[in-house]
Amino acid sequence: MEYLVMLPGPTNVPNRVMNAMLAPVINHRSEDFRVLYRSIIEKTQKLFQTQSDVILLSSSGTGAVESSVVNLIRKGDKVVIPVNGEFSTRLADLIDSWGGQSIRIESPYGENPSYDEFEEVFDEHKDIKALYVVYNETSTGTTIRYMDKLGDLCGRKNAFYIADSVSILGGDELPVDKWNIDICVTASQKAIAAPPGVSPISVSPKAKKYIQENPAPILYFNLKRYFKYYSEHFETPFTPALPLCYAYDEALNLIFEEGLENRIKRHRKCADAFYEGLGAMGLTPYAKPDARSNVVIAVNYLEGVDDKKFRDLLSNEFKVLVAGGFGNLKGRVFRIGSMGEVNKYHVVRTLSAIESAFRMMGIDVPSGSINKAISKLN
Amino acid sequence: MEYLVMLPGPTNVPNRVMNAMLAPVINHRSEDFRVLYRSIIEKTQKLFQTQSDVILLSSSGTGAVESSVVNLIRKGDKVVIPVNGEFSTRLADLIDSWGGQSIRIESPYGENPSYDEFEEVFDEHKDIKALYVVYNETSTGTTIRYMDKLGDLCGRKNAFYIADSVSILGGDELPVDKWNIDICVTASQKAIAAPPGVSPISVSPKAKKYIQENPAPILYFNLKRYFKYYSEHFETPFTPALPLCYAYDEALNLIFEEGLENRIKRHRKCADAFYEGLGAMGLTPYAKPDARSNVVIAVNYLEGVDDKKFRDLLSNEFKVLVAGGFGNLKGRVFRIGSMGEVNKYHVVRTLSAIESAFRMMGIDVPSGSINKAISKLN
């Protein structure tokens, strides 16, 4: 049974992308693979809007984010990181456990710090090695809207700028070079709409130089090895997850057939429609207005609604998958992934299922949400 | 165009396994996934012949091998490791770069050290933390045939025993518990005949206790997190490579439909047939007789044969893929993966293509290889 997958990753994967996985097995040390890998790299550079080196790791997004830490951060390095959700907390903890010294700019979940707080921290500490930012915090449905200014700041302060863009790249603005991002990380199964298991990462010349001169004590996520294998052979150092490479390549084809700008516009419209429709049902987003994500919609439960019962109804009766909350937010919010292939039908079917599920649970939400949502889609 | 994939991984993947990747996208935080993952874990335990905890990592085999190092080895730990090929060298280097102190039992490529050398090293050093063994060295086509005795030794000396079984598990004997192996690592795309990208690993209660009491400073390969997520939720801590999980599960089904014992016998017979047939052509295995692998056949080139030309002929004209040599062996050997689904047809077609390719290159190898090979298959 097929679900409508409105999760914040994995998302609905188009049939063309699924079927690409059935391409015959090839030798990953052969011209067959080199052709595929070069195609992937070139299209990924276009998607990232970067001239920098790009690598495709065979791991989830977490692995790719980790590679940005273990290759760049050394014992005692000061690392600034805004923390306001599950993923930014986990990243800050990783930086510390790896030996770095995180300087956390904390803000309440659902809100972002002001840009000025970053200026202040950089003024206070003269020796900041890097700024790590979770561009879209999947646990709370918040997006930081001054990524460009943070890039300028890092440029002025000579700090590396790393954007964890796992849940957003392909669904919102992200011109990597223009924003001065040194390392940008995403994953296949979010706004790119491929199956999970491969994760692209871009590395600026400045970050590449550092990584090559300071090799990391690890192997699988050792970016220096990936640079070497790519420049010498157009290959990956370790066996790639071949079917997922094919699928990812096809997903990139779909992105450029639609056009990146159109795709970002579509995501914005669908998000607007969700916020509008959910609002008409009397539901409120978890995120503050200026922090609301266009790819992950975190929604506060109405008083007394049981998370498991609600999501089981959606899944079992309507075949619509949405996610629950993480950590402290478990039971308090549900989250809609409005990403990848998301379209009018997805929005309408999801809102309709949510409305019906609430009614089945005896909660008489107002009507009209779907018309209001559709008004945002035209 | 489909190749006959006689690589030492990836191998030919049966259609049933390929098609399993097309299963609909599910939520990896739902009962749908838990059912799949429990099925995978239980079958993997059966395949490994272990009662220990098993984890499926979404990475290549290298990543899983690395997880055994970063979770178990700490600064200054003494680690014994036999080194006689590309993969054992790389593993020993990783142990050192991670902070361990490798004690290398070196032997010429193509040969194994004697068991007595291990006894001697353990007698000389009283504080050995672990013994790492590459059970099958893919770069040279050698297999260590006293893995059971090494397990006894580790038991007596209270050292952890880690078997890098990436290229052999499912194609040769490997009763993990009986052989006293603490951590056993393999990968999906070798003798298991699934696509590349997921890698199972077993961890004995003793190793698990150590890992839980000494958490590693990394995230994606942090086995403690995998134990926790499995015991609490039957889930993985990070998004798994879903299509590859489905494929791996189906590959395990095929293994047990055939029967593990039958499968190992089939691998032995096919290897015997390859050695016999290649010998009849006047070719010699790279590995010494007592070290020869049943899953990877490394073959010395005849004088004057150009590696690239030969393998290009095989690939372009006969659609048969074999691998070249690694590092120092580049141009000196070719390697046949005799693993996974390998059968009589694979052996015959591969030998026939090799014989024809040599003749096309003007090398008049003796006839009769195929009949001799077939005699070993009945």
Side-chain angles (χ1 to χ4, degrees):
Chain A
M1 171 62 79
E2 298 250 3
Y3 291 105
L4 184 69
V5 186
M6 303 305 289
L7 301 169
T11 62
N12 301 290
V13 178
N15 286 341
R16 258 176 66 185
V17 175
M18 289 297 275
N19 289 329
M21 290 194 287
L22 298 185
V25 178
I26 55 173
N27 185 355
H28 59 287
R29 305 271 172 245
S30 75
E31 195 55 25
D32 288 334
F33 179 70
R34 285 171 212 128
V35 168
L36 171 66
Y37 196 52
R38 267 193 301 236
S39 153
I40 284 173
I41 294 307
E42 284 164 17
K43 288 175 206 156
T44 302
Q45 286 174 322
K46 198 173 154 195
L47 175 66
F48 279 51
Q49 300 173 57
T50 186
Q51 307 287 323
S52 290
D53 281 45
V54 159
I55 286 162
L56 188 70
L57 295 168
S58 290
S59 77
S60 84
T62 301
V65 171
E66 177 166 355
S67 81
S68 77
V69 174
V70 296
N71 283 276
L72 200 63
I73 303 306
R74 294 294 172 270
K75 202 168 166 53
D77 281 349
K78 285 189 186 169
V79 178
V80 177
I81 176 170
V83 170
N84 59 351
E86 196 67 18
F87 289 94
S88 45
T89 302
R90 204 176 72 178
L91 177 50
D93 289 347
L94 172 64
I95 289 165
D96 288 338
S97 77
W98 183 248
Q101 190 186 329
S102 71
I103 302 171
R104 305 182 187 209
I105 300 180
E106 309 214 7
S107 54
Y109 280 28
E111 295 179 33
N112 288 324
S114 75
Y115 168 75
D116 293 346
E117 293 181 62
F118 291 86
E119 289 258 17
E120 283 161 26
V121 168
F122 270 89
D123 285 342
E124 194 182 326
H125 302 270
K126 295 302 168 199
D127 51 349
I128 287 168
K129 166 92 165 269
L131 168 63
Y132 276 73
V133 179
V134 177
Y135 178 17
N136 186 71
E137 175 58 62
T138 315
S139 67
T140 58
T142 60
T143 301
I144 288 181
R145 291 292 173 201
Y146 44 78
M147 293 292 285
D148 52 343
K149 286 175 75 177
L150 293 176
D152 291 341
L153 179 64
C154 287
R156 288 201 307 280
K157 303 291 185 177
N158 200 28
F160 291 108
Y161 183 29
I162 294 87
D164 170 347
S165 310
V166 167
S167 58
I168 191 165
L169 202 153
D172 210 329
E173 303 291 345
L174 186 40
V176 167
D177 286 357
K178 195 172 156 198
W179 288 1
N180 197 33
I181 295 169
D182 286 299
I183 303 186
C184 183
V185 182
T186 191
S188 54
Q189 84 280 14
K190 307 277 184 173
I192 296 171
V198 287
S199 296
I201 172 168
S202 71
V203 183
S204 72
K206 185 179 128 196
K208 183 179 175 181
K209 183 165 183 288
Y210 180 88
I211 288 167
Q212 289 191 305
E213 290 172 358
N214 299 276
I218 42 77
L219 186 58
Y220 192 66
F221 293 129
N222 191 311
L223 297 179
K224 188 178 173 177
R225 283 196 180 238
Y226 286 83
F227 296 137
K228 183 175 150 70
Y229 268 74
Y230 189 70
S231 67
E232 291 178 5
H233 311 288
F234 300 105
E235 293 171 9
T236 57
F238 314 114
T239 312
L242 267 178
L244 304 180
C245 294
Y246 282 118
Y248 173 71
D249 187 56
E250 185 67 358
L252 294 175
N253 289 338
L254 285 176
I255 289 177
F256 298 116
E257 284 171 22
E258 176 178 20
L260 186 54
E261 214 174 308
N262 292 337
R263 189 179 183 89
I264 292 168
K265 224 179 273 171
R266 173 168 57 77
H267 276 80
R268 191 159 45 228
K269 278 189 167 193
C270 288
D272 286 348
F274 268 124
Y275 286 119
E276 188 74 16
L278 293 162
M281 272 188 244
L283 295 165
T284 53
Y286 181 76
K288 291 285 169 291
D290 64 345
R292 278 175 200 161
S293 170
N294 288 341
V295 286
V296 181
I297 323 274
V299 189
N300 294 309
Y301 272 117
L302 296 170
E303 194 65 30
V305 175
D306 181 76
D307 172 48
K308 188 177 182 315
K309 195 171 164 194
F310 170 70
R311 290 194 298 121
D312 279 353
L313 267 179
L314 276 191
S315 163
N316 297 336
E317 306 306 330
F318 302 94
K319 304 296 168 198
V320 172
L321 300 182
V322 303
F326 251 108
N328 284 343
L329 296 182
K330 206 174 160 72
R332 292 173 51 201
V333 303
F334 65 95
R335 294 174 303 139
I336 301 168
S338 178
M339 52 170 68
E341 291 302 291
V342 64
N343 58 32
K344 185 174 165 183
Y345 161 68
H346 294 172
V347 175
V348 168
R349 183 168 155 201
T350 303
L351 288 173
S352 157
I354 290 172
E355 197 173 313
S356 300
F358 279 132
R359 294 225 167 108
M360 285 169 79
M361 293 171 81
I363 297 156
D364 196 22
V365 292
S367 297
S369 68
I370 292 168
N371 280 334
K372 289 213 169 162
I374 287 176
S375 74
K376 292 282 175 182
L377 287 166
N378 298 323
Chain B
M1 171 60 82
E2 297 251 4
Y3 291 107
L4 184 70
V5 186
M6 303 305 287
L7 300 168
T11 61
N12 301 289
V13 178
N15 287 341
R16 256 177 67 186
V17 175
M18 289 296 275
N19 290 329
M21 290 194 288
L22 298 184
V25 177
I26 55 172
N27 185 354
H28 59 288
R29 304 272 171 244
S30 75
E31 193 57 26
D32 288 334
F33 179 72
R34 284 170 212 129
V35 168
L36 171 66
Y37 196 53
R38 267 192 301 236
S39 153
I40 284 173
I41 294 307
E42 283 164 17
K43 289 175 205 157
T44 303
Q45 286 174 320
K46 197 173 154 193
L47 174 65
F48 279 51
Q49 300 173 58
T50 186
Q51 307 287 323
S52 290
D53 280 43
V54 160
I55 286 163
L56 188 70
L57 295 168
S58 289
S59 77
S60 84
T62 301
V65 171
E66 177 166 357
S67 80
S68 78
V69 174
V70 296
N71 283 277
L72 200 64
I73 303 306
R74 293 295 172 269
K75 203 167 165 54
D77 281 349
K78 286 189 185 169
V79 178
V80 177
I81 176 169
V83 170
N84 59 352
E86 196 68 18
F87 288 93
S88 45
T89 302
R90 205 176 72 178
L91 177 51
D93 289 347
L94 172 64
I95 288 165
D96 288 337
S97 77
W98 183 247
Q101 189 185 331
S102 71
I103 301 170
R104 304 181 188 212
I105 300 180
E106 309 215 7
S107 54
Y109 279 28
E111 295 180 32
N112 288 324
S114 74
Y115 168 75
D116 293 345
E117 294 180 61
F118 291 86
E119 289 258 18
E120 283 161 26
V121 168
F122 271 89
D123 284 343
E124 194 182 327
H125 301 270
K126 295 302 168 200
D127 50 349
I128 287 168
K129 167 96 164 264
L131 169 63
Y132 276 73
V133 179
V134 177
Y135 179 16
N136 185 72
E137 175 57 63
T138 314
S139 66
T140 57
T142 59
T143 301
I144 288 181
R145 291 293 174 202
Y146 44 79
M147 293 293 284
D148 52 341
K149 285 175 74 177
L150 293 175
D152 290 343
L153 179 63
C154 287
R156 287 201 308 279
K157 303 291 185 177
N158 201 28
F160 291 109
Y161 184 30
I162 295 87
D164 169 348
S165 309
V166 166
S167 58
I168 191 164
L169 202 152
D172 210 329
E173 302 291 344
L174 185 41
V176 167
D177 285 358
K178 195 173 155 197
W179 287 2
N180 197 32
I181 295 169
D182 286 298
I183 302 186
C184 184
V185 181
T186 192
S188 54
Q189 83 281 14
K190 308 277 186 173
I192 295 170
V198 288
S199 297
I201 174 168
S202 71
V203 183
S204 71
K206 186 179 127 195
K208 182 179 176 182
K209 183 165 183 288
Y210 180 87
I211 288 168
Q212 289 191 303
E213 289 172 359
N214 299 274
I218 42 79
L219 185 59
Y220 192 66
F221 293 130
N222 191 312
L223 298 180
K224 188 178 173 178
R225 282 196 181 237
Y226 286 83
F227 296 138
K228 183 176 149 70
Y229 267 75
Y230 189 69
S231 68
E232 290 178 5
H233 311 288
F234 299 107
E235 293 171 9
T236 56
F238 314 114
T239 312
L242 268 177
L244 305 180
C245 294
Y246 281 118
Y248 173 70
D249 187 56
E250 185 67 358
L252 294 175
N253 289 339
L254 284 176
I255 289 176
F256 297 116
E257 284 170 24
E258 175 179 20
L260 186 53
E261 215 174 308
N262 292 338
R263 188 178 184 88
I264 292 168
K265 224 179 273 172
R266 173 168 58 76
H267 277 79
R268 191 158 46 228
K269 278 188 167 192
C270 289
D272 286 349
F274 268 123
Y275 286 119
E276 188 74 16
L278 293 162
M281 274 188 244
L283 295 165
T284 53
Y286 181 76
K288 291 284 169 294
D290 65 346
R292 280 176 199 161
S293 170
N294 288 341
V295 287
V296 181
I297 323 275
V299 190
N300 294 309
Y301 273 117
L302 294 170
E303 193 66 30
V305 175
D306 181 77
D307 172 47
K308 187 176 183 315
K309 194 170 164 195
F310 170 70
R311 290 194 297 122
D312 279 354
L313 267 180
L314 277 190
S315 164
N316 297 336
E317 307 305 330
F318 302 94
K319 304 296 169 197
V320 173
L321 300 181
V322 302
F326 250 109
N328 284 343
L329 295 183
K330 205 173 161 71
R332 291 174 51 203
V333 303
F334 65 94
R335 295 174 302 140
I336 300 167
S338 179
M339 50 170 70
E341 290 302 291
V342 64
N343 58 32
K344 185 175 166 183
Y345 161 68
H346 294 172
V347 175
V348 167
R349 183 169 156 202
T350 304
L351 288 173
S352 158
I354 290 172
E355 196 173 314
S356 300
F358 279 132
R359 295 225 167 106
M360 286 169 77
M361 294 172 80
I363 297 156
D364 195 23
V365 293
S367 298
S369 69
I370 292 166
N371 279 335
K372 287 213 169 160
I374 287 175
S375 74
K376 290 284 175 182
L377 287 166
N378 298 325

